[in-house]
Amino acid sequence: MPTPLEGLSVLLIDDSRAVRSVIRVLLHGLGVTDVIESGDGEEAVILANTCRPDVALVDYDLGQASGLDVVRELRDQSLADASDLVVLLLAPVDLPYLADGATEAGANAILPKPINASTLGASLETVIHATRLTEIHAIRAFH
């Protein structure tokens, strides 16, 4: 029986290979098999343009860059054609000031770190459901 997340394409952006590996395993366990990985923001923007994922999971701290900067770049139409990309910022819950910055940068939501399978799955399902409802309403309004 297919899962609600089956067929979803996820761009995973984190400078830590180990963290990417853990999140990839969590995503596979949720039924997401199309996981594209990037260790930095510049590569992530290129991958967003070429691979056209449904969702980007962006770590808030990418070592040399800020996850908020990467979200801004993904939303900057001169750099990326990712207006329909769902962007989730991965950030510790003890950094509440990130909420305003994430919204301003264009993130759809913040996922709390450390991340676990149930939180990740529920967040992805909620955002995808909300996005699909928005698309359905837009289609109905168009007709």
Side-chain angles (χ1 to χ4, degrees):
M1 185 163 135
T3 69
L5 301 177
E6 204 169 290
L8 193 67
S9 175
V10 174
L11 174 58
L12 175 57
I13 308 160
D14 196 303
D15 63 326
S16 168
R17 184 182 303 262
V19 171
R20 289 195 316 265
S21 178
V22 168
I23 295 174
R24 183 180 60 248
V25 167
L26 293 175
L27 287 166
H28 283 193
L30 294 167
V32 178
T33 57
D34 187 6
V35 180
I36 307 146
E37 295 184 35
S38 175
D40 66 71
E42 187 176 321
E43 179 186 47
V45 172
I46 293 168
L47 289 170
N49 283 323
T50 57
C51 300
R52 306 287 299 157
D54 302 305
V55 176
L57 298 176
V58 183
D59 186 40
Y60 84 103
D61 181 7
L62 295 170
Q64 299 290 352
S66 158
L68 294 177
D69 291 334
V70 173
V71 172
R72 283 186 199 93
E73 289 176 10
L74 288 170
R75 293 298 188 219
D76 182 344
Q77 297 204 349
S78 68
L79 299 174
D81 181 21
S83 59
D84 58 342
L85 179 65
V86 174
V87 180
L88 303 176
L89 186 70
L90 304 172
V93 293
D94 60 348
L95 300 177
Y97 65 88
L98 278 178
D100 290 338
T103 301
E104 176 189 310
N108 295 84
I110 296 178
L111 276 168
K113 283 179 82 175
I115 197 157
N116 61 51
S118 61
T119 303
L120 179 59
S123 297
L124 287 173
E125 286 183 33
T126 298
V127 173
I128 296 305
H129 180 71
T131 303
R132 287 185 179 147
L133 282 179
T134 302
E135 289 171 0
I136 290 168
H137 290 304
I139 290 168
R140 286 183 182 156
F142 182 73
H143 292 294

